Amino acid sequence: MSSTTLAPGEQERARTASGRRPGLTDRAKAERRLGWMLAGPAFAVMLLVTAYPILQAVYESLFDFRLTDPDNRSFTGLTNYWVILTDWIWWRSLLVTLLITVVTVAVELVLGFGLALVMHRALTTLRPIIRTAILIPYAIITVVSAFAWQYAFALDTGFVNPWLNLGAFNWFGSFSPSIVVICLSEIWKTTPFISLLLLAGLAQVSEDLQEAAKVDGATWWERLRKVTIPNMKAAIMVALLFRTLDAFRVFDNIFIMTNGANGTESVSFLAYRQTISRLEIGLGSAVSVLLFLCVVLISALFIKGFKVDLSQARGEK
């Protein structure tokens, strides 16, 4: 039987069964148009502001160009990219960046989810106080936070060694302890950001589903695993995506605490060192372009990996 002879509801079920997504409803189309009308101007301005630096970096990366000798510019094509990708310095910086990103984001997701549950379940009278206390670290400027952690772990001004009875242990004297301090400072600073996003996701979970699960005899862990987390998948994706992109571009803490010493140089710090310290505009631009491509790849992997239908996350029917 052809689909043209089926009833409207049967046609929609047939399209779903065949793997084709049903068309958007009039309400969804209207909301999409309204979204573009409201966000379109800001998106256009942001595109204009960011497009020029990106295109300029791509252009500069094709030249052998030092800022100290601007007249001696020569076109080298993709040579800068070949030099970078065949150098162990790039791969070491990439591995350090991935290490910091994976460790900090994983810990922040667990801690942030716990803090979000605390803020969500807190008594009405205590919610403003608890939320303010949790969000204080995120309100502090990253450079100020980095200096505070450096002073806390330094040999001359630090108080961590006396508390832990470590004597004259130099936290910034080798790779492992330096990375530990950098990761701790990142976790302390940005966990409230993830908790705030996850709190918004928790607010979207229907209490009726929770009560139904309780009636069915589900434990707290079963309700969390089968009701809460599946219904806030979109919020988890947004939190992980934003925080992963931010962590992958880590720069401030490394610059303040170690200045890239002991093998703690990240990709962003490598781009800074090539462009600002060595004035190698061509190589620095190539590193920046590769960093941009890594960010685009991470975004694509998250969006495809989570497979979140944002229209369903908004509750559209």
Side-chain angles (χ1 to χ4, degrees):
M1 180 182 297
S2 64
S3 61
T4 57
T5 61
L6 297 177
E10 294 176 346
Q11 292 180 16
E12 182 175 350
R13 287 193 294 270
R15 286 195 300 267
T16 304
S18 62
R20 291 185 298 171
R21 294 179 60 186
L24 294 176
T25 62
D26 293 338
R27 176 186 173 185
K29 292 178 180 178
E31 289 187 358
R32 177 171 292 186
R33 286 194 298 268
L34 178 61
W36 276 110
M37 291 173 60
L38 295 175
F43 177 77
V45 172
M46 184 180 66
L47 185 62
L48 291 175
V49 171
T50 58
Y52 173 75
I54 293 174
L55 294 177
Q56 182 69 20
V58 173
Y59 175 76
E60 296 289 355
S61 67
L62 303 177
F63 290 86
D64 182 10
F65 174 39
R66 288 183 63 90
L67 197 60
T68 54
D69 190 11
D71 296 329
N72 189 17
R73 177 198 294 252
S74 59
F75 179 79
T76 58
L78 300 178
T79 302
N80 287 329
Y81 294 97
W82 175 257
V83 171
I84 294 171
L85 294 176
T86 56
D87 197 321
W88 167 243
I89 294 177
W90 158 261
W91 295 108
R92 184 186 63 189
S93 301
L94 182 61
L95 290 175
V96 170
T97 305
L98 289 174
L99 174 63
I100 295 174
T101 301
V102 171
V103 171
T104 56
V105 173
V107 175
E108 288 169 13
L109 178 62
V110 176
L111 294 179
F113 192 79
L115 293 176
L117 288 174
V118 171
M119 290 188 289
H120 183 65
R121 296 298 181 184
L123 297 176
T124 305
T125 55
L126 297 177
R127 284 180 183 177
I129 300 174
I130 294 176
R131 292 179 181 181
T132 302
I134 291 176
L135 293 176
I136 285 177
Y138 189 66
I140 299 175
I141 300 174
T142 306
V143 175
V144 176
S145 171
F147 271 116
W149 280 83
Q150 184 196 39
Y151 292 149
F153 284 85
L155 286 174
D156 51 351
T157 61
F159 55 84
V160 174
N161 282 352
W163 282 6
L164 300 178
N165 294 322
L166 294 178
F169 179 75
N170 186 5
W171 288 89
F172 302 107
S174 58
F175 174 79
S176 297
S178 299
I179 287 295
V180 169
V181 178
I182 291 172
C183 290
L184 286 175
S185 64
E186 283 281 308
I187 292 169
W188 179 83
K189 174 72 173 63
T190 53
T191 295
F193 174 71
I194 282 189
S195 67
L196 195 63
L197 295 178
L198 295 180
L199 178 62
L202 284 173
Q204 301 299 319
V205 180
S206 174
E207 289 295 331
D208 294 337
L209 295 176
Q210 300 283 3
E211 293 298 329
K214 285 183 180 179
V215 172
D216 291 339
T219 62
W220 177 86
W221 172 250
E222 290 174 337
R223 295 198 305 271
L224 178 67
R225 185 167 54 91
K226 297 181 179 180
V227 178
T228 304
I229 294 179
N231 283 279
M232 55 182 300
K233 190 176 180 181
I236 294 175
M237 187 206 72
V238 172
L240 284 178
L241 177 60
F242 283 7
R243 183 62 197 112
T244 301
L245 297 180
D246 186 45
F248 194 83
R249 295 177 287 108
V250 60
F251 173 80
D252 305 71
N253 289 329
I254 296 175
F255 180 79
I256 298 299
M257 295 183 186
T258 64
N259 199 28
N262 305 321
T264 58
E265 190 175 63
S266 64
V267 175
S268 295
F269 194 91
L270 178 63
Y272 163 82
R273 184 163 61 86
Q274 294 294 329
T275 307
I276 305 300
S277 300
R278 300 185 59 189
L279 302 178
E280 289 278 2
I281 305 300
L283 283 173
S285 298
V287 174
S288 300
V289 172
L290 291 174
L291 174 61
F292 171 74
L293 293 178
C294 290
V295 169
V296 172
L297 178 61
I298 291 173
S299 302
L301 290 176
F302 264 93
I303 294 174
K304 187 173 181 61
F306 271 79
K307 297 179 181 179
V308 175
D309 189 348
L310 295 180
S311 63
Q312 292 181 2
R314 294 194 300 268
E316 294 178 359
K317 304 295 183 182

